[in-house]
Amino acid sequence: MERLRALLLTARPSQSIYRRVEGPPQGHLEEEEEDGEEGAKLPAHFCPMELKGPEPLGSRPGQQNLIPWAAAGRKAAPYLVLTALLIFTGAFLLGYVAFRGSCQACGDSVLVVSEDNSEQGLDSHQGTLYWSDLQAMFLRLLGEGHLEDTIRQTSRRERMAGSAGMAALAQDILAVLSRQKLDHVWTDTHYVGLQFPDRAHPNALHWVDEDGTVGEQLPLEDPDAYCPYSATGNVTGKLVYAHYGRPEDLQDLRARGVEPAGCLLLVRVGETSFAQKVHLGTGDPYTPGFPSFNQTQFPPVASSGLPSIPAQPISADIASHLLRMLKGPVGPQEWQGHLPATLYRLGPGPVLHLSVNNHRTSTPISNIFGCIEGFAEPDHYVVIGAQRDAWGPGAAKSAVGTAILLELVQTFSSMVSNGFRPRRSLLFISWDGGDFGSVGSMEWLEGYLSVLHLKAVVYVSLDNAVLGDDKFHAKTSPLLINLIENILKQVDSPNHSGQTLYEQVVFTNPSWEAEVIRPLPMDSSAYSFTAFAGVPAVEFSFLEDDQDYPFLHTKEDTYENLHRMLQGRLPAVAQAVAQLAGQLLIRLSHDHLLPLDFGRYGDVVLRHIGNLNEYSGDLKARGLTLQWVYSARGDYIRAAEKLRKEIYSSEESDERLMRMYNVRIMRVEFYFLSQYVSPADSPFRHIFLGHGDHTLGALLDHLRLLRPEASRAPKASSELLPSLGFQESRFRRQLALLTWTLQGAANALSGDVWNIDNNF
């Protein structure tokens, strides 16, 4: 009886005992004693309770009979078990509530999950951080005050690529990154061919007398103003106004009886990028398709995108003076501008002599990198970058992006100190040589292309982020459209109190996508990531509603002018961009399944096929068809739907399966790079965004030649000369290049070769 009584007294204080089971450690559970003797402990010889039957004859006198206790124990056992379960459940729920209440101060061992995308930790003792907690942490740590100060200070520093000022700024930024909680910080130096003005022989514009003598010189805007990569030399000709200088503008001139060949063309800034007016490419044009590392040895070669004619920027005052000298027909209404000239006539006008003496110099440029390694997929990179250099003050051009980049680095570093760790690696990059045609970013892509197309998930560009505050545009790959929509609903509008950015844009246009989404421009670093490397990319921009930012690419792009144009709202707009980019990075770096909409390209193909269908009758008359493209598009749609169903029915906790899906999803953009053309000859191989005969745009331009009025088509953009007419052999080759790239994308999205529908 004494032995049994001792067991009951020991068990009574908590009513249930959780005992470690011998074997592999599984953690332990404890119940606090509520009452009873303080410090009571189980005997060292504790063993399970015995229930004994009647004592055999001859047992010792005075031994207690245990049968009544055995019966009582048998009846009470179910109640004891239920009581234990109830206590355990209550304790578990109380512990969970206490944990969730203190989640933001969980310390150094916190894993990140989204509310609908729960992650299992690699360590069973690690906590869990939900999307709402993580979003709140990010917004709390993001500092608005630092942004304006950094924009102001950066815009006041001389930072032309290759200059001493740029070298000093690079060292300062490297020091800032080195002080943060980053896993890796490093630089990458390229030696590129950059053009600069010749101080001894400055560029000049002169009047030419009637007898052909070069006469009085016209003052240029600034001796430092020039067009990088312009052809050098001397040219003389009559002046003609050519609007924006696009191919369709030149066609329009000819249609109005003005021949631009052999003339000096006066063109407006805007509509097309400086890259398209001067250098049809990005990166170092003297090592096209290859990286410009110092040890690299290539035979002398120049990009086919380099212009063959001299070009020189002039001031608005000189342009207005020249416009007043033009004769000939008045330009169309849409060609009229705002300079103080009565009417913009087409010309011809007076004869001018232009002399361009720029010289090329091998110049070192340095990109700066900082990385936070992911814990689950460290070999998959979410990349964000901003141009650092500027020809002038460059407040809007690069100071804003640099400030936002540094603020995001510091914010994510603080988040790491508070326990955040992304699933995928975050890569922060400050680019050099951006004003010369995204040279720094393109050279990095060329140098590591074989790695990046396998490992880079998305690129986010911070260039040209704040050019106003009325409108918001996202120049992006279709894969990111749905994610951008979701993030816009999470970010407050900087100039409409109480509204999100999404509510601001749909107030103007119920179709938010038509209002916001734009194609990637060629003069953006984001363009090369997608069109050259096959990595989905996005660039955000706030803009003015009724005008372009007038100081871009000029010495008037100062902090003061930008601040004045935004009427003091510069900090708020920059903060909105930082919030948008930061939350995009969080989703891309921590969601179990990459939030890229791989089905979107089916809609893109369908939209383009609608343009091709216009010519199906013309092709049928020649015994030709577009059926191959239709079939490939159908295969892509089916492959995307099949993958979507596979993902829906799979277990998210299966890390191996999730990684396999992510690899297929993140490479969708790469699938649309034509594998049938050389990156050295056609660097922009993307069939929707690129340039060359392999693109859908080139095929459409070729089909326009089936119609007699094709030579007057205002939107024609192909290099194919209308005088050549439609060529069946060329059409068949273009169709094959396009079709098999699209079919290859469908096959790759299908997964393993045994899952591919090979009845094409």
Side-chain angles (χ1 to χ4, degrees):
M1 179 67 185
E2 289 301 317
R3 180 184 178 194
L4 180 60
R5 183 173 180 275
L7 289 174
L8 291 176
L9 284 174
T10 304
R12 183 170 60 85
S14 64
Q15 300 301 316
S16 59
I17 300 173
Y18 297 99
R19 183 166 58 90
R20 184 184 295 277
V21 179
E22 294 298 320
Q26 300 292 329
H28 64 279
L29 295 172
E30 296 180 346
E31 285 279 331
E32 293 186 357
E33 295 181 351
E34 298 176 1
D35 52 21
E37 298 180 13
E38 184 174 344
K41 296 182 180 179
L42 292 178
H45 59 277
F46 174 77
C47 64
M49 185 188 301
E50 287 185 310
L51 297 180
K52 296 185 178 180
E55 291 293 326
L57 292 175
S59 61
R60 287 177 296 174
Q63 181 74 27
Q64 296 288 338
N65 192 332
L66 299 180
I67 290 179
W69 285 101
R74 188 181 301 114
K75 292 180 180 179
Y79 300 101
L80 288 173
V81 171
L82 287 174
T83 302
L85 288 174
L86 287 172
I87 293 173
F88 171 77
T89 303
F92 174 80
L93 292 174
L94 285 172
Y96 174 76
V97 171
F99 168 76
R100 290 285 289 126
S102 62
C103 193
Q104 291 198 24
C106 289
D108 290 331
S109 56
V110 180
L111 288 184
V112 184
V113 304
S114 62
E115 303 280 2
D116 56 350
N117 198 6
S118 183
E119 290 192 9
Q120 296 297 320
L122 302 179
D123 184 340
S124 62
H125 295 288
Q126 288 183 317
T128 302
L129 195 59
Y130 290 83
W131 164 249
S132 57
D133 303 315
L134 186 57
Q135 185 184 42
M137 179 195 292
F138 170 75
L139 295 176
R140 174 170 53 86
L141 295 173
L142 187 66
E144 179 178 334
H146 297 161
L147 283 172
E148 186 173 17
D149 291 341
T150 308
I151 294 169
R152 183 190 299 109
Q153 294 168 14
T154 304
S155 66
R156 291 175 179 171
R157 297 184 65 162
E158 193 272 329
R159 57 189 195 283
M160 169 78 84
S163 67
M166 170 54 84
L169 178 60
Q171 288 301 315
D172 290 346
I173 289 180
L174 188 63
V176 170
L177 267 59
S178 299
R179 291 194 296 268
Q180 305 306 313
K181 201 172 181 64
L182 303 176
D183 296 303
H184 310 283
V185 176
W186 74 100
T187 62
D188 202 10
T189 300
H190 299 264
Y191 292 78
V192 297
L194 302 183
Q195 270 196 3
F196 297 98
D198 187 339
R199 301 294 184 188
H201 303 90
N203 301 340
L205 182 65
H206 292 82
W207 297 109
V208 175
D209 298 336
E210 292 182 359
D211 60 359
T213 305
V214 175
E216 180 186 356
Q217 180 176 346
L218 281 78
L220 296 177
E221 175 184 9
D222 188 307
D224 294 329
Y226 73 110
C227 286
Y229 303 124
S230 162
T232 58
N234 300 288
V235 291
T236 302
K238 293 183 177 181
L239 185 67
V240 167
Y241 171 52
H243 199 29
Y244 291 108
R246 300 168 297 184
E248 55 264 36
D249 296 330
L250 303 184
Q251 291 179 17
D252 205 345
L253 274 175
R254 293 188 179 97
R256 295 172 185 274
V258 180
E259 177 53 55
C263 296
L264 266 69
L265 302 184
L266 181 63
V267 299
R268 302 170 68 181
V269 173
E271 286 298 315
T272 58
S273 68
F274 276 92
Q276 291 168 301
K277 293 182 191 296
V278 179
H279 171 213
L280 291 177
T282 59
D284 182 357
Y286 302 104
T287 57
F290 300 96
S292 298
F293 291 119
N294 195 31
Q295 71 275 14
T296 305
Q297 299 295 325
F298 292 112
V301 66
S303 166
S304 60
L306 281 172
S308 58
I309 59 174
Q312 172 67 31
I314 62 175
S315 68
D317 288 340
I318 295 298
S320 180
H321 180 56
L322 292 175
L323 283 168
R324 287 194 293 268
M325 304 288 291
L326 290 177
K327 298 180 175 144
V330 175
Q333 181 59 41
E334 61 270 20
W335 286 38
Q336 301 301 312
H338 304 287
L339 292 177
T342 53
L343 286 173
Y344 284 27
R345 294 184 177 272
L346 303 180
V351 179
L352 298 172
H353 177 83
L354 175 65
S355 176
V356 175
N357 303 305
N358 304 333
H359 64 95
R360 176 165 65 100
T361 303
S362 180
T363 307
I365 62 171
S366 296
N367 299 322
I368 305 172
F369 302 82
C371 175
I372 298 174
E373 274 197 44
F375 75 87
E377 299 176 38
D379 56 333
H380 290 164
Y381 317 144
V382 178
V383 188
I384 184 167
Q387 174 183 330
R388 183 173 73 253
D389 66 300
W391 171 72
K397 178 63 179 174
S398 62
V400 169
T402 295
I404 295 174
L405 179 71
L406 293 177
E407 189 62 41
L408 288 174
V409 168
Q410 295 178 52
T411 301
F412 277 92
S413 175
S414 298
M415 291 172 68
V416 169
S417 298
N418 279 269
F420 167 66
R421 200 75 190 180
R423 290 183 60 84
R424 300 171 195 91
S425 296
L426 285 169
L427 198 55
F428 304 91
I429 310 178
S430 175
W431 302 116
D432 200 351
D435 259 7
F436 290 84
S438 303
V439 175
S441 57
M442 185 64 176
E443 293 305 308
W444 186 66
L445 289 172
E446 288 177 339
Y448 303 98
L449 181 62
S450 58
V451 174
L452 294 174
H453 88 268
L454 297 172
K455 298 189 174 186
V457 177
V458 164
Y459 175 66
V460 180
S461 169
L462 296 173
D463 298 338
N464 304 308
V466 180
L467 304 175
D469 69 343
D470 292 330
K471 297 188 298 185
F472 174 78
H473 286 170
K475 294 155 278 188
T476 185
S477 159
L479 296 174
L480 288 162
I481 292 177
N482 281 356
L483 178 59
I484 291 169
E485 178 183 11
N486 184 274
I487 299 297
L488 287 179
K489 296 176 180 178
Q490 311 285 326
V491 177
D492 291 337
S493 167
N495 56 358
H496 290 76
S497 180
Q499 284 188 340
T500 64
L501 265 179
Y502 180 83
E503 291 168 338
Q504 175 185 331
V505 297
V506 297
F507 181 81
T508 305
N509 187 340
S511 174
W512 84 272
E513 195 171 322
E515 180 69 17
V516 170
I517 302 301
R518 297 291 184 274
L520 286 165
M522 193 175 185
D523 59 347
S524 165
S525 59
Y527 177 84
S528 297
F529 270 85
T530 300
F532 174 74
V535 176
V538 60
E539 179 176 286
F540 303 117
S541 292
F542 279 93
L543 308 159
E544 287 299 288
D545 199 15
D546 55 349
Q547 63 174 329
D548 293 331
Y549 178 65
F551 308 116
L552 203 62
H553 303 291
T554 75
K555 286 192 172 181
E556 300 304 313
D557 183 15
T558 63
Y559 164 80
E560 289 75 17
N561 280 337
L562 181 61
H563 193 278
R564 188 180 304 112
M565 184 170 182
L566 269 68
Q567 300 178 350
R569 291 192 292 270
L570 175 57
V573 180
Q575 178 83 350
V577 176
Q579 291 182 14
L580 184 64
Q583 294 186 60
L584 197 74
L585 293 183
I586 293 171
R587 288 291 310 274
L588 289 166
S589 66
H590 103 277
D591 279 10
H592 250 76
L593 190 71
L594 281 171
L596 301 178
D597 187 2
F598 48 86
R600 272 277 180 169
Y601 265 114
D603 300 332
V604 172
V605 178
L606 182 62
R607 185 169 64 251
H608 284 292
I609 284 179
N611 296 327
L612 297 177
N613 281 339
E614 181 183 347
Y615 302 94
S616 58
D618 302 86
L619 291 172
K620 187 176 181 180
R622 292 171 175 260
L624 302 172
T625 179
L626 293 167
Q627 185 57 45
W628 283 9
V629 177
Y630 304 152
S631 298
R633 184 258 176 186
D635 284 350
Y636 183 86
I637 295 296
R638 286 187 289 274
E641 185 58 28
K642 180 183 176 185
L643 178 57
R644 200 184 305 277
K645 289 179 179 178
E646 286 181 22
I647 293 171
Y648 182 79
S649 61
S650 64
E651 287 293 333
E652 195 178 71
S653 59
D654 189 332
E655 291 284 344
R656 175 182 169 277
L657 192 60
M658 288 297 108
R659 180 180 174 86
M660 183 179 71
Y661 288 145
N662 283 336
V663 167
R664 286 161 68 181
I665 292 170
M666 67 182 278
R667 294 181 187 168
V668 166
E669 200 77 66
F670 177 77
Y671 301 155
F672 291 106
L673 299 189
S674 177
Q675 306 301 306
Y676 308 102
V677 295
S678 165
D681 298 329
S682 300
F684 304 119
R685 295 178 292 151
H686 202 288
I687 60 174
F688 300 117
L689 287 175
H691 297 278
D693 253 14
H694 61 283
T695 64
L696 194 147
L699 175 61
L700 183 59
D701 284 345
H702 193 183
L703 289 176
R704 288 193 178 105
L705 299 181
L706 289 167
R707 305 286 176 83
E709 67 275 13
S711 61
R712 299 190 300 274
K715 295 298 182 183
S717 59
S718 173
E719 297 176 1
L720 185 65
L721 295 177
S723 59
L724 296 177
F726 180 82
Q727 302 170 20
E728 182 176 324
S729 60
R730 189 169 195 169
F731 166 77
R732 289 183 180 276
R733 184 177 184 277
Q734 286 181 307
L735 189 63
L737 290 173
L738 178 67
T739 300
W740 282 108
T741 301
L742 185 55
Q743 185 64 42
N747 293 345
L749 199 63
S750 296
D752 295 307
V753 291
W754 50 84
N755 291 326
I756 297 173
D757 179 6
N758 60 1
N759 293 320
F760 177 70

